[in-house]
Amino acid sequence: MKIARRKFIGLMAGAAAGAAVGGTGGRIFADALATSNQPLYPPRGPEQFVLSVCTACPGGCGVRARRIGDRIVKVEGNPLHPISGGRLCPKGQAALQALYHPDRLRVPLRRVGPRGSLRSFRPATWEAALAEIASRLRSIRDEQRPESVVLLRGGDRDIGTRAARQFLAAFGSPNDIAFDRGNEAGAMALFLTQGVRATPAPDIRGADYILSLGSEFLEASPAPVYSMRAYGDFRQTHTAQRGKLIHVDPRLSITAASADEWIPIRPLTHATFALGIAAAIVQEGLYDREFVAERGTGFEDGPGGGLRAILGNHFSLERVAAESGVSVNVILRVARELAGARKGLVLPPHKGPLLGGRLADHLAVHLLNALIGNIDRAGGVLIADEVAIDAWPADAPDPVAAAGRRQPRLDGAGSESLLSGDPEQLARALSSREPYPAEVLFILGTDPLYATASHDAFTAALDRVPLVVTFATIANDTALRSDWILPEPHFLETWNVQTSPPSVAFASVSVASPAVSKPLYDTRAPADVFLDLARRTGLQRALPWQDVAALSRAEIDRLFEARRGAIVGTPFDAAWVRMMEGSGWWAPGYTSADELWKRTGETGGWWDPFYDHGDWSRVLRTPSGRFDFRPDLVQQIAGASPAVTGGAALILFEPLPIAGGTGAELPFLQALLDPGLEERWETWGEVHPDTASALHLRNGSWMRVASAHEAIVVRARVTERVVAGAVAIPVGLGKRGGGRWAEGVGENPLRLLDGVREPISSLPDFAAATVLVSEASPTGDRPGKRS
Amino acid sequence: MTRWGMVIDLDRCTACQACVVACQVENNIPPVDQADSERGRGISWIRLAPFREGEHGTRPSLRLVPIPCMHCERPPCVKVCPATATVIGHEGLVGQIYARCIGCRYCTTACPYTVRQFNWKKPEWPQPMQDGLSPDVSVRPRGVVEKCSFCHHRLQRARDQARMEDRTLRDGDYLPACVESCPAEAMFFGDLDDPRSVVARLAAGPRAFRLLEELGTKPKVIYLSKGESGGDV
């Protein structure tokens, strides 16, 4: 890369000028020698390093906290940890700001006033909180209506969530509902074609050509540090040739900026583009004939004459070019490059933890991967083994619980449905009190009121549940509308046993112990809360452990029973374990559960680095035992031709510092929302210069973005980073809660959505909204926020 | 001689900005609120600078380049400082001595990379954020200039450690916080004068370049451009 000197100076001049204006005068010089009069006490005491697991996102990075005396002064990656590899993302680095955040919840809070404000809450004791919740739970059990207790949970990989789920099962409720929008579409595509319920794990490190169809895998992947480490190796390694990255999306994201080529396409045409590439590959005979013939079904036969016929009939280069806005030449070139690469890999349009994408796009991408023989091969799409402790052993429920668990789920999702959880349907059921009313709602590890596509429905739903209990470290939007807010400890203050995140192709278990001698405040780990509630409701048979420390130990005992894997270690250790397991030996480096507990405490965890490629009975569990090319669904995709009508397409994305709706609480993260536009501390909307001039929008002016039922005002950024006819807005700001640095800063564009669902998957469609964009204030002043 | 230097591989870099936050936490940089941030009062010793390319009508591209202090061999900031508050040490680290700094900001103007920042405000940490302050790094008063130190305090720690183990410093013993954190493993650090060090090998490769080399500042931060490695690793 060559940067002209004049250009460089020009760019820098802006920054320098910004720093030089304002506040001058003699006083500065007088103050220069005076030291801060704020009392600053350096920490004293011995230096120690404590291992933990970052829970700022679901990525599950092993970390090492530097402790001096009883203060934590730095968090780094744990070098032995297979996910972080000693590295950390900005969120992990900012963990100290979260630990010592001035607005952390310090005691349980009981709501005594109207919902929606922290002023409506009064401090309470844990005894008061748990006694009230337990007494409600006991009367529900007495009335034999255990199904009226609902758990809405964000994750499923941490010890607190496992304890909550175990509690719910023992109590007798089927309403264990995941709010997991980020991984739903990818898991569905895998289930529909391979019959496996898991999140696909693309082998980025093993690929040498990546066609990213709007996958923001360098910004908001389910495991950001792991993805970025893999990407680094994909680009430059000792052994392989440099990997090439092509990014196809309506927006030049940070991931696109890293790519070798950005190919802009029209909004909503990812699936069409992917199937167009597939059609070109099939037509030129470049697909993996062996995989298709030996492992596939539905390619030459089935509805519509099979996938080959549908691709030929509906996805001609001309049609795909016309719809996507990409020229025939480019489509053909990309198809040939992808098929010609030794290890080409296609990534689906996953925009972040809240914006997992549409099933049509994920399915089209997965079919394309299958056509080029990517299923379960190195550099392809893998499926991680389940971790032994992910599922609890089935217990024998008591009669009340057994009857409760046979009740239908309030959200209508679950193992019988494509959706693993449907929070929006849950909201409707809570409001209508059909098929039965809910009495208690536990909300753990998620902020549904912020993240939902049906904000109004959720707000109404929370009002209809008699007892809403939210766990949080800082009061979030949902907590402000709850009845009880139970303060959670920061991850550096508590025990945790965390299993490997989605999109990582190996099983791992990370062990965290408290890095401080006692929590800063009167907080309790969610696992401790559910263990306590189990004791108070007579369910201690199902959760017999004294506290979260004992539970952690019990989980490691169960891990020992699995008799596989090894203690995490250096790359050399991993290579050794892989070689041994590959030839049928188990070389764990531990001989007892005690030793496993001790060693995981010393190193940070356990993992199983061995991957058995091509174990078809494990990865192809469809009724036919073959990869199903789903001509039936491709026909549906071909028939529906989504087009943007009546306004601009709303493109949502999640910048890494605030992905997943978390991070806006921390000032360090607010200051780095987008390095490309140097955006910070506000919500902006990107519009193409052509669109902007048609709408008379100027760069930096305020812009009103309105959907059918809601409008927000954001800063206009006129940029060619987004295609014409669209407006791109980041998700992650615009909070009602979140403490002093998040509250009221920016806007939440999810409010613009109105619960439109994608037909095949019935997932909320975050990509389908069209909005009207207009100039909000010609004067440059920020106009009233809402219309 | 030892000559500490950094290599940043722009082909690996994903512009995640972990380096920015790692540096702020490591070096006791105070948080600023929205109002101060919008006035440009937020301090970061390393930042991502955007280089937008492409005229209207052509396909644009965006390059994001992490820019710490270059620790120039011939630092313009040292030349202009009237108070000897910024000096270059014998191992090539350009240091800032806060107690000597009179806040004249000649250096912020002289630095062609604009990596020097002035403390317009007294640093403040809302309770209990000061509990996370590192004891290794002093906090800076209002009215002085500060900048990237290559985490010089980590060199002292690494030296102490090596001395305790009765050995010399090894490549990789001393890493600044940004290098240690970088998720894409795009940053490298070490002795440019040691031909066996990783940074010396990378800096001699065909992808290596320096920012504004033509000014004669001789930066000790070396970038690797995108593209085939051509055997430099």
Side-chain angles (χ1 to χ4, degrees):
Chain A
M1 194 182 83
K2 180 108 178 82
I3 293 161
R5 178 185 166 206
R6 190 193 295 167
K7 186 162 191 178
F8 183 81
I9 300 226
L11 282 159
M12 294 294 143
V21 293
T24 49
R27 215 150 52 79
I28 291 164
F29 294 92
D31 284 358
L33 296 172
T35 50
S36 164
N37 58 11
Q38 185 185 5
L40 291 171
Y41 308 101
R44 279 168 207 197
E47 178 188 48
Q48 277 176 290
F49 290 91
V50 190
L51 300 180
S52 184
V53 186
C54 178
T55 57
C57 83
C61 286
V63 302
R64 203 168 60 130
R66 181 174 174 227
R67 170 177 155 175
I68 296 186
D70 207 15
R71 293 195 202 162
I72 311 297
V73 300
K74 189 77 205 290
V75 177
E76 302 284 2
N78 170 5
L80 296 180
H81 197 270
I83 292 164
S84 72
R87 309 293 171 145
L88 272 187
C89 78
K91 274 187 159 166
Q93 282 291 348
L96 276 194
Q97 264 188 351
L99 173 67
Y100 293 118
H101 196 290
D103 296 326
R104 272 189 62 188
L105 297 167
R106 300 168 185 226
V107 289
L109 296 175
R110 177 74 171 104
R111 188 172 58 81
V112 293
R115 293 178 196 267
S117 163
L118 205 53
R119 284 190 299 277
S120 300
F121 288 83
R122 292 281 170 274
T125 62
W126 276 101
E127 181 52 38
L130 294 170
E132 184 188 323
I133 297 164
S135 108
R136 187 72 65 103
L137 291 172
R138 274 196 305 273
S139 61
I140 289 168
R141 284 272 294 187
D142 291 345
E143 294 162 22
Q144 309 211 340
R145 295 195 299 129
E147 68 277 7
S148 65
V149 175
V150 181
L151 170 68
L152 186 58
R153 58 183 168 83
D156 58 355
R157 317 263 162 168
D158 62 296
I159 198 166
T161 307
R162 284 194 298 279
R165 299 180 71 185
Q166 173 77 346
F167 174 80
L168 207 72
F171 192 82
S173 171
N175 290 307
D176 166 19
I177 295 166
F179 195 119
D180 188 18
R181 288 291 182 235
N183 302 306
E184 197 85 89
M188 262 185 210
L190 197 67
F191 180 72
L192 290 169
T193 54
Q194 294 181 236
V196 182
R197 283 197 185 270
T199 310
D203 184 6
I204 292 165
R205 189 175 265 119
D208 63 7
Y209 182 94
I210 292 180
L211 175 61
S212 158
L213 288 180
S215 167
E216 306 304 344
F217 70 106
L218 298 182
E219 279 182 89
S221 113
V225 174
Y226 186 76
S227 296
M228 287 191 268
R229 286 176 61 215
Y231 168 79
D233 289 346
F234 156 83
R235 283 301 206 184
Q236 301 282 340
T237 54
H238 298 262
T239 49
Q241 76 176 73
R242 174 179 183 268
K244 185 172 177 184
L245 170 64
I246 307 289
H247 192 80
V248 183
D249 197 59
R251 179 172 177 268
L252 200 166
S253 61
I254 300 297
T255 306
S258 292
D260 297 287
E261 185 181 355
W262 170 51
I263 300 175
I265 60 166
R266 296 212 178 99
L268 298 175
T269 57
H270 287 114
T272 308
F273 185 86
L275 292 170
I277 297 276
I281 284 175
V282 170
Q283 199 184 358
E284 302 216 333
L286 300 173
Y287 64 99
D288 186 334
R289 287 160 198 275
E290 193 184 325
F291 176 81
V292 171
E294 287 180 16
R295 302 285 163 207
T297 175
F299 184 69
E300 304 277 6
D301 55 330
L307 182 69
R308 179 202 279 272
I310 297 170
L311 290 177
N313 294 337
H314 296 281
F315 293 95
S316 67
L317 285 172
E318 290 72 24
R319 179 196 156 182
V320 173
E323 279 192 20
S324 66
V326 182
S327 75
V328 169
N329 284 343
V330 172
I331 298 172
L332 210 50
R333 170 170 62 83
V334 170
R336 286 172 183 161
E337 279 180 7
L338 175 68
R342 227 159 33 86
K343 286 175 178 171
L345 174 65
V346 193
L347 298 178
H350 177 279
K351 300 285 176 198
L354 302 180
L355 309 168
R358 329 166 86 205
L359 175 60
D361 299 336
H362 281 261
L363 187 67
V365 165
H366 199 54
L367 294 177
L368 178 53
N369 270 320
L371 277 177
I372 55 175
N374 261 343
I375 302 307
D376 218 44
R377 78 162 185 194
V381 182
L382 313 180
I383 300 175
D385 265 335
E386 275 180 30
V387 184
I389 61 171
D390 264 345
W392 286 79
D395 59 326
D398 56 60
V400 178
R405 271 153 61 171
R406 281 195 298 271
Q407 294 291 319
R409 271 172 59 151
L410 283 175
D411 65 341
S415 55
E416 303 301 310
S417 154
L418 261 185
L419 287 169
S420 68
D422 190 342
E424 281 75 22
Q425 182 58 37
L426 171 70
R428 271 194 288 281
L430 294 178
S431 286
S432 66
R433 302 172 75 82
E434 296 290 339
Y436 49 85
E439 299 296 332
V440 180
L441 171 61
F442 289 105
I443 298 170
L444 176 62
T446 178
D447 186 0
L449 207 55
Y450 179 81
T452 179
S454 305
H455 179 265
D456 297 342
F458 238 103
T459 309
L462 291 181
D463 295 350
R464 295 296 299 272
V465 181
L467 186 61
V468 180
V469 181
T470 301
F471 295 84
T473 53
I474 296 172
N476 55 29
D477 293 18
T478 310
L480 294 180
R481 299 197 75 87
S482 314
D483 299 293
W484 277 101
I485 312 177
L486 301 184
E488 265 187 88
H490 186 266
F491 70 79
L492 290 169
E493 296 173 311
T494 184
W495 293 91
N496 190 9
V497 175
Q498 181 96 7
T499 59
S500 39
S503 85
V504 166
F506 53 79
S508 77
V509 174
S510 315
V511 180
S513 54
V516 285
S517 62
K518 69 179 177 56
L520 267 59
Y521 308 115
D522 191 10
T523 53
R524 286 193 195 178
D528 276 332
V529 171
F530 284 101
L531 293 175
D532 193 309
L533 288 175
R535 282 191 291 274
R536 288 171 193 255
T537 49
L539 297 170
Q540 60 271 54
R541 203 173 56 88
L543 292 99
W545 302 282
Q546 185 55 40
D547 55 19
V548 62
L551 178 58
S552 302
R553 175 62 212 255
E555 293 206 310
I556 296 301
D557 287 353
R558 274 174 57 211
L559 178 63
F560 177 73
E561 298 303 321
R563 303 208 165 264
R564 46 178 278 232
I567 303 290
V568 298
T570 61
F572 179 80
D573 297 334
W576 170 254
V577 173
R578 263 191 215 108
M579 191 187 79
M580 294 298 277
E581 289 201 25
S583 43
W585 297 88
W586 181 47
Y590 54 87
T591 53
S592 67
D594 282 336
E595 200 179 348
L596 176 60
W597 173 247
K598 186 166 160 283
R599 296 285 310 280
T600 50
E602 289 163 354
T603 58
W606 166 101
W607 71 320
D608 192 348
F610 176 65
Y611 194 93
D612 193 5
H613 291 284
D615 180 358
W616 300 112
S617 61
R618 186 178 76 88
V619 298
L620 294 179
R621 282 192 241 147
T622 51
S624 61
R626 286 167 166 263
F627 184 93
D628 193 337
F629 281 99
R630 299 306 299 227
D632 52 333
L633 298 176
V634 178
Q635 244 181 335
Q636 283 188 45
I637 296 171
S641 155
V644 181
T645 49
L650 177 65
I651 296 172
L652 299 176
F653 61 98
E654 297 187 58
L656 172 59
I658 51 172
T662 62
E665 305 81 23
L666 309 181
F668 280 163
L669 299 181
Q670 283 272 17
L672 13 120
L673 297 182
D674 187 291
L677 294 166
E678 295 170 280
E679 285 291 351
R680 50 191 174 220
W681 290 94
E682 70 179 10
T683 301
W684 71 97
E686 299 170 9
V687 283
H688 190 272
D690 293 349
T691 311
S693 67
L695 296 168
H696 308 293
L697 288 168
R698 278 169 304 122
N699 189 38
S701 66
W702 293 104
M703 159 171 98
R704 185 172 179 275
V705 181
S707 68
H709 78 293
E710 181 73 75
I712 60 173
V713 171
V714 299
R715 179 88 73 183
R717 286 292 170 216
V718 178
T719 169
E720 293 184 47
R721 282 178 67 179
V722 65
V723 297
V727 56
I729 303 180
V731 176
L733 300 186
K735 299 191 161 228
R736 300 281 163 89
R740 65 189 68 183
W741 289 299
E743 189 186 332
V745 174
E747 293 277 3
N748 180 5
L750 296 174
R751 294 280 181 85
L752 296 169
L753 306 173
D754 48 7
V756 172
R757 289 175 181 247
E758 190 197 4
I760 312 174
S761 64
S762 70
L763 277 169
D765 197 335
F766 289 98
T770 52
V771 289
L772 292 173
V773 181
S774 57
E775 190 178 24
S777 160
T779 60
D781 292 333
R782 187 179 175 79
K785 280 179 82 173
R786 252 159 260 281
S787 56
Chain B
M1 270 300 278
T2 307
R3 216 160 46 92
W4 297 111
M6 185 185 287
V7 172
I8 301 177
D9 186 342
L10 298 177
D11 209 10
R12 278 177 168 262
C13 175
T14 65
C16 73
Q17 308 183 87
C19 49
V20 178
V21 182
C23 167
Q24 289 172 321
V25 177
E26 176 81 14
N27 291 298
N28 292 341
I29 290 174
V32 296
D33 60 12
Q34 181 176 12
D36 277 338
S37 184
E38 281 168 357
R39 293 166 70 205
R41 299 289 186 261
I43 288 177
S44 49
W45 290 1
I46 179 169
R47 67 179 193 286
L48 273 285
F51 295 90
R52 299 176 202 96
E53 289 155 11
E55 303 296 317
H56 182 70
T58 66
R59 192 175 299 170
S61 75
L62 173 67
R63 295 270 172 264
L64 295 158
V65 181
I67 302 194
C69 171
M70 301 286 145
H71 290 266
C72 308
E73 287 289 274
R74 295 173 57 205
C77 54
V78 170
K79 269 189 223 155
V80 298
C81 181
T84 333
T86 182
V87 290
I88 181 162
H90 68 280
E91 293 188 346
L93 297 176
V94 177
Q96 181 78 12
I97 302 159
Y98 309 122
R100 286 188 193 161
C101 178
I102 57 172
C104 67
R105 287 170 284 143
Y106 286 5
C107 57
T108 59
T109 313
C111 173
Y113 308 98
T114 66
V115 293
R116 297 179 146 267
Q117 284 169 314
F118 184 67
N119 281 277
W120 290 94
K121 286 186 69 175
K122 191 174 77 178
E124 275 177 290
W125 288 266
Q127 278 290 353
M129 272 191 168
Q130 55 165 279
D131 282 1
L133 291 182
S134 164
D136 304 341
V137 181
S138 70
V139 299
R140 280 76 59 185
R142 175 180 168 180
V144 305
V145 168
E146 61 183 68
K147 67 157 198 84
C148 160
S149 66
F150 271 175
C151 288
H152 177 249
H153 55 282
R154 287 184 170 221
L155 171 59
Q156 291 169 341
R157 236 162 54 204
R159 278 222 177 90
D160 289 348
Q161 187 68 32
R163 205 171 290 134
M164 237 156 57
E165 291 166 16
D166 200 20
R167 58 176 175 82
T168 53
L169 271 186
R170 287 188 293 243
D171 195 27
D173 272 358
Y174 161 36
L175 297 179
C178 52
V179 176
E180 187 177 359
S181 190
C182 180
E185 299 170 25
M187 301 173 88
F188 306 86
F189 192 84
D191 179 5
L192 290 168
D193 274 357
D194 176 1
R196 291 159 305 167
S197 75
V198 175
V199 285
R201 271 189 291 132
L202 291 173
R207 291 195 294 137
F209 72 99
R210 291 156 177 82
L211 282 182
L212 305 180
E213 284 177 89
E214 63 276 26
L215 297 183
T217 51
K218 299 196 173 172
K220 284 200 291 295
V221 174
I222 293 120
Y223 293 88
L224 304 181
S225 61
K226 280 186 173 297
E228 289 295 340
S229 57
D232 62 355
V233 183

